[in-house]
Amino acid sequence: MPISEHVTALRPEAVRNAVAEVRARIHDARARGGHGQDVTVVAVTKTHGPEAVEAVWDAGITDVGENRVQEAEGKMAQVTVPVRWHLIGHLQRNKARHALRFALFHGLDSERLAVALHEEATRVGATLDVLLQVNVSGEASKSGVPAHEVVLIAERLRALPSLRVRGVMTMAPFEADEALLRAVFSGARAAREAVRAAGHPAEWLSMGMSGDYEIAVEEGATHVRLGTVLFGSRT
């Protein structure tokens, strides 16, 4: 039975079992891929309560992702375990200051947002870790920098020293077949190399969700964003 059919956020033992199975699958996928990367599981707790954060912490996961600032900040006020918070959803420029509460922002999808984030980080004397979101698949419904603009954007980001570009994030099309998944994920890997060549650290590659994370790891993912496979389907 797939994990997603029998795990709920309210059953810590089930979450622990799910985490153990996910880690085993990641271990095997990493060996198949041969990239030798460390892989961080980012538990996506959107629509789940703070108890989900506590459950994954108890299961050994230290990184938690949220799509919406308001929901994340509500949980931050209730959760006592010292998880690293990731913002993985779209962020409007007028809310740029909120990104400073997160250890890593996965959704840097435009130069204008980059400037807003840089100004906020500079204002408080901080450096913000970000991932450049790249729309490898070219889907109109997805945010992100087009693949052909990555080099130009990466070069311009060098003028924003309060941002530390740690790599690339991408999302594959839903219900894509394996060939398309691999094409998207390998495209993101190439985009990360272009960002690195432009002078950024760019060691990380955030890609892969509950339905495709094993292929993502095979293709070099360093961060996988998992919700359903850990907590079950959202209602």
Side-chain angles (χ1 to χ4, degrees), residues 44-83:
V44 181
T45 55
K46 67 177 183 180
T47 76
H48 295 288
E51 69 277 3
V53 180
E54 305 277 353
V56 293
W57 172 265
D58 289 342
I61 289 180
T62 57
D63 294 78
V64 170
E66 287 288 338
N67 287 63
R68 296 180 176 85
V69 166
Q70 185 174 4
E71 184 176 350
E73 291 181 338
K75 288 176 191 172
M76 288 176 181
Q78 299 178 67
V79 170
T80 58
V81 292
V83 295

Side-chain angles (χ1 to χ4, degrees), residues 170-182:
T170 200
M171 295 177 62
F174 292 112
E175 299 183 357
D177 61 21
E178 181 175 338
L180 180 55
L181 288 173
R182 292 192 184 279

Side-chain angles (χ1 to χ4, degrees), residues 113-137:
L113 177 59
V115 170
L117 292 169
H118 174 263
E119 290 175 349
E120 289 295 334
T122 301
R123 181 177 60 82
V124 299
T127 301
L128 178 63
D129 284 342
V130 300
L131 299 177
L132 182 64
Q133 183 173 350
V134 179
N135 186 354
V136 179
S137 66

Side-chain angles (χ1 to χ4, degrees), residues 19-42:
V19 169
E21 183 170 339
V22 161
R23 291 201 185 281
R25 290 178 180 271
I26 288 174
H27 177 273
D28 292 346
R30 181 175 174 270
R32 291 192 300 270
H35 294 280
Q37 80 277 25
D38 292 330
V39 180
T40 297
V41 175
V42 180

